[in-house]
């Protein structure tokens, strides 16, 4: 079995243009990243698959795109100004800062010979609460009245729009409001590549339900979200659901379960599903003076409870890469392959003329590329030996390659090579689009054990 380390993932991402360290020519800026071509394509697929399952395929959901900078009163009401903090300690010996509750994971006072949990005498300051929200200034005035925050979650944008989206449209619970957008957190110890970053793209959905149905919908959404990952090919053995203890839960939550993935750094939260009760709508009702509740035709009224599945594209991105990364020896040559679900793979198919100097092959390959690109992200590649081109496509996870060769010129057929099995079959050039359409709809299971 391939030993998948975060270093291998980082190196492949860089080598193949998925992700680069940001501001690199200026020495970088810790734990910020830029996405290259294949990273952008893969992120787009993750985003639209989430959107499809949350919005397109359901009758009980609407979309929202709220602002990043909100009235600071929102964050007072939500509890973020007072409570969105991590305990911070400074080490006078190491001259670094750490999360006091994660010292055993940090390098503070560590020497290679030490056992886990053992520390060198470190000179730590008392822990103090550090607010994770990024502060900024709105307008030209630089005083307390202009302080604002970059949102640390997209959820509050949904709650403050409850009146616009739900009340005015007379939407009856259960129904959901979903949004995708950037969130920002001034994490004390970001790291592990994209796993914990300061700028990330959240996909959150707030599902408003009658209070006495909250527990049922909480269970329902845990199930739904877990199944979504399984349908996208993540291996069952690498996923688990872990319920938070009462001490671990956020201030707003009356029940939270994490869908965890076995990352190279151990079991970690991929997505959280929380029962937020009526905390947020009640808080915003009290602080804004606007009543946020559901009112039925017959005068029935109540503040709905909220079930929230929340995840970042970054955590899914890393989980997919780790789950897909594989190394093997084929015909005495090393092969690195990303065994991604075809829907997640950045490029769906490669079109390759076997001999790039052969004008007839190039013409046919180009025309097949033109036909397929109208419907899918496909790539034409005539750079170098065919073996090298296959390996390049394997490394970016392209599920199929169509090769135009001598026989194509005789009988108008092409070979299709399967990324996972390496099996090759011939099919008529004219049926490639229908074949690909069909292949993309077939269920896919990871061949990795
Ligand atoms: N609205 C609820 C909320 O924001 P959270 O558990 O703090 O809850 C939700 O965040 C999800 O956002 C997490 O499950 C994770 O997928 C993602 N996330 C949180 N902080 C992150 C970070 N620093 N970098 C990448 N993803 C992050």
């Amino acid at each position: 079995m391939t030993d998948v380390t975060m270093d291998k993932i980082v190196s492949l991402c860089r080598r193949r243009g998925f992700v680069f360290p940001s501001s690199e020519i200026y020495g970088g800026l810790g734990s910020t990243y830029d996405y290259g071509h294949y990273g952008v394509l893969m992120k787009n697929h993750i985003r639209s698959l989430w959107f499809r399952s949350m919005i397109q395929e359901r009758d009980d959901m609407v979309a929202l795109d709220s602002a990043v900078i909100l009235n600071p009163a929102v964050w007072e009401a939500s509890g973020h100004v007072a409570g969105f903090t991590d305990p911070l300690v400074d080490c006078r010996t190491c001259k670094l800062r750490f999360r006091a509750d994660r010292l055993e994971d940090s390098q503070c006072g560590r020497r290679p010979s030490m056992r886990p949990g053992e520390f060198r005498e470190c000179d730590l300051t008392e822990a103090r609460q550090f607010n994770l929200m990024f502060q900024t200034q709105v307008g030209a005035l630089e005083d307390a009245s202009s302080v604002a925050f970059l949102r640390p979650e997209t959820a509050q944008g949904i709650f403050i729009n409850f009146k616009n989206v739900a009340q005015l449209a007379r939407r009856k619970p259960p129904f959901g409001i979903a949004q995708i957008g950037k969130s920002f957190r001034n994490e004390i110890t970001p790291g592990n590549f994209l796993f914990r970053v300061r700028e990330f793209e959240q996909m959150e959905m707030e599902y408003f339900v009658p209070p006495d149905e909250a527990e049922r919908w909480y269970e329902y959404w845990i199930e739904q979200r877990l199944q979504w990952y399984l349908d996208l090919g993540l291996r069952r053995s690498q996923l688990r659901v872990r319920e938070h203890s009462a001490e671990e839960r956020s201030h707003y939550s009356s029940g939270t379960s994490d869908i965890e993935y076995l990352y190279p750094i151990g079991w970690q939260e991929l997505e959280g599903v929380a029962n937020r009760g009526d905390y947020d709508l009640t808080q915003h009702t009290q602080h804004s003076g606007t009543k946020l509740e559901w009112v039925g035709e017959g005068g029935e009224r109540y503040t709905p409870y909220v079930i929230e599945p929340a995840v970042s594209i970054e955590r899914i991105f890393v989980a997919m890469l780790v789950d897909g990364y594989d190394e093997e020896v084929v015909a005495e040559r090393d092969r690195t392959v990303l065994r991604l679900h075809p829907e997640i793979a950045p490029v769906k198919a490669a079109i390759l003329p076997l001999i790039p100097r052969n004008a007839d092959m190039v013409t046919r390959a180009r025309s097949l590329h033109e036909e397929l690109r109208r419907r899918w992200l496909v790539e034409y590649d005539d750079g170098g030996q065919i073996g090298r081109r296959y390996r390049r496509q394997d490394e970016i996870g392209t599920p199929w390659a169509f090769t135009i060769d001598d026989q194509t010129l005789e009988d108008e057929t092409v070979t299709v090579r399967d990324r996972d099995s390496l099996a090759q079959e011939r099919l008529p050039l004219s049926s490639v689009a229908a074949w690909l359409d069909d292949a993309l709809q077939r269920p896919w299971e990871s061949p990795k054990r």
Side-chain angles (χ1 to χ4, degrees):
M1 200 166 73
T2 305
D3 177 27
V4 186
T5 62
M6 209 61 114
D7 283 347
K8 285 184 183 175
I9 299 295
V10 173
S11 140
L12 180 134
C13 279
R14 194 192 176 97
R15 189 166 71 245
R16 290 301 179 199
F18 282 74
V19 182
F20 310 110
S22 186
S23 318
E24 209 177 4
I25 59 169
Y26 289 101
L29 175 69
S31 296
T32 49
Y33 294 92
D34 298 334
Y35 289 82
H37 182 65
Y38 297 122
V40 173
L41 300 188
M42 191 163 143
K43 274 212 315 179
N44 281 348
H45 297 323
I46 294 171
R47 197 183 290 115
S48 39
L49 286 162
W50 188 89
F51 195 89
R52 187 166 87 192
S53 80
M54 282 295 185
I55 312 264
Q56 189 179 323
E57 294 177 348
R58 299 187 65 104
D59 298 325
D60 56 354
M61 209 70 77
V62 289
L64 181 79
D65 187 359
S66 67
V68 167
I69 300 174
L70 307 175
N71 187 316
V74 170
W75 306 110
E76 292 280 353
S78 68
H80 282 81
V81 170
F84 195 58
T85 55
D86 277 338
L88 171 92
V89 287
D90 290 290
C91 177
R92 297 187 190 95
T93 320
C94 313
K95 307 275 182 249
L96 292 172
R97 292 189 152 171
F98 304 100
R99 266 178 72 164
D101 57 341
R102 294 260 172 92
L103 269 181
E104 42 317 339
D105 301 338
S106 78
Q107 289 307 305
C108 183
R110 295 281 304 142
R111 289 208 183 106
S113 58
M114 290 174 169
R115 288 195 304 276
E118 197 184 344
F119 293 97
R120 185 172 61 138
E121 265 314 294
C122 262
D123 191 5
L124 295 177
T125 60
E126 281 292 304
R128 63 195 151 86
Q129 291 304 319
F130 174 78
N131 197 297
L132 301 185
M133 284 194 294
F134 276 102
Q135 266 194 33
T136 187
Q137 224 103 32
V138 174
L141 274 180
E142 285 192 21
D143 62 15
S145 69
S146 63
V147 167
F149 305 98
L150 304 189
R151 68 178 173 203
E153 62 171 14
T154 63
Q156 297 307 321
I158 297 180
F159 298 126
I160 60 170
N161 274 290
F162 184 80
K163 190 171 168 210
N164 298 328
V165 179
Q167 279 174 316
L168 298 182
R170 292 198 163 272
R171 246 173 257 289
K172 186 175 191 300
F175 66 86
I177 306 177
Q179 89 162 319
I180 303 176
K182 288 254 177 158
S183 288
F184 303 84
R185 295 183 189 179
N186 198 1
E187 299 279 2
I188 299 170
T189 42
N192 290 310
F193 191 36
L194 299 166
F195 181 82
R196 192 177 303 285
V197 277
R198 295 193 170 110
E199 174 184 341
F200 52 98
E201 195 165 340
Q202 275 191 318
M203 305 195 288
E204 297 198 288
M205 190 279 289
E206 308 301 325
Y207 200 68
F208 299 94
V209 301
D212 60 353
E213 293 179 17
E215 191 54 34
R216 175 161 80 80
W217 287 113
Y218 171 59
E219 299 296 335
Y220 168 88
W221 279 109
I222 296 170
E223 189 60 40
Q224 287 287 306
R225 296 301 304 146
L226 179 63
Q227 191 58 46
W228 189 76
Y229 292 109
L230 295 172
D231 292 346
L232 288 176
L234 287 189
R235 290 165 295 162
R236 185 66 188 85
S237 58
Q238 313 302 101
L239 286 164
R240 73 178 187 191
V241 175
R242 188 182 66 80
E243 176 131 40
H244 283 205
S245 63
E247 303 77 60
E248 206 185 338
R249 287 201 290 260
S250 308
H251 58 280
Y252 52 74
S253 161
S254 50
T256 297
S257 289
D258 287 345
I259 297 175
E260 294 190 330
Y261 181 77
L262 187 52
Y263 291 94
I265 49 174
W267 286 103
Q268 296 286 340
E269 174 180 354
L270 165 60
E271 166 159 353
V273 182
N275 176 355
R276 296 180 78 124
D278 60 0
Y279 175 83
D280 302 274
L281 292 184
T282 303
Q283 286 293 107
H284 288 302
T285 295
Q286 281 166 7
H287 283 249
S288 69
T290 302
K291 220 167 179 36
L292 302 175
E293 59 178 7
W294 179 73
V295 184
E297 297 288 340
E300 181 200 359
R301 56 174 65 217
Y302 60 83
T303 307
Y305 274 31
V306 176
I307 310 301
E308 173 197 71
V311 66
S312 68
I313 294 186
E314 284 72 7
R315 296 247 171 127
I316 301 177
F317 192 92
V318 179
M320 291 289 173
L321 291 175
V322 169
D323 219 67
Y325 187 97
D326 208 0
E327 292 166 347
E328 62 180 5
V329 178
V330 177
E332 295 177 12
R333 301 188 71 162
D334 292 335
R335 172 170 102 117
T336 301
V337 53
L338 277 186
R339 303 189 191 278
L340 298 171
H341 189 289
E343 297 245 48
I344 296 285
V347 172
K348 308 303 167 197
I351 297 102
L352 317 171
L354 181 68
I355 303 167
R357 292 185 317 277
N358 184 310
D360 289 341
M361 286 186 199
V362 166
T363 306
R364 277 188 172 68
R366 285 241 179 245
S367 122
L368 179 61
H369 180 232
E370 280 307 313
E371 181 192 348
L372 299 183
R373 76 191 306 181
R374 283 187 221 124
R375 295 179 61 191
W376 300 286
L377 275 151
V378 291
E379 197 168 273
Y380 172 86
D381 186 0
D382 63 7
Q385 296 263 332
I386 191 74
R388 275 193 50 210
R389 282 182 274 159
Y390 281 146
R391 276 200 297 286
R392 203 179 80 76
Q393 295 296 335
D394 289 341
E395 274 206 320
I396 62 167
T398 307
W400 300 288
F402 298 105
T403 306
I404 311 291
D405 54 17
D406 288 317
Q407 202 178 322
T408 315
L409 307 183
E410 287 164 21
D411 64 4
E412 298 285 325
T413 62
V414 296
T415 61
V416 52
R417 170 189 181 269
D418 184 276
R419 173 199 68 198
D420 295 328
S421 66
L422 294 176
Q424 302 209 10
E425 60 175 298
R426 282 205 91 82
L427 42 131
L429 192 50
S430 58
S431 70
V432 168
W435 187 95
L436 185 57
D437 196 19
D438 188 49
L440 280 165
Q441 289 177 51
R442 282 200 292 265
W444 180 88
E445 203 178 304
S446 173
K448 276 176 75 177
R449 290 284 141 236

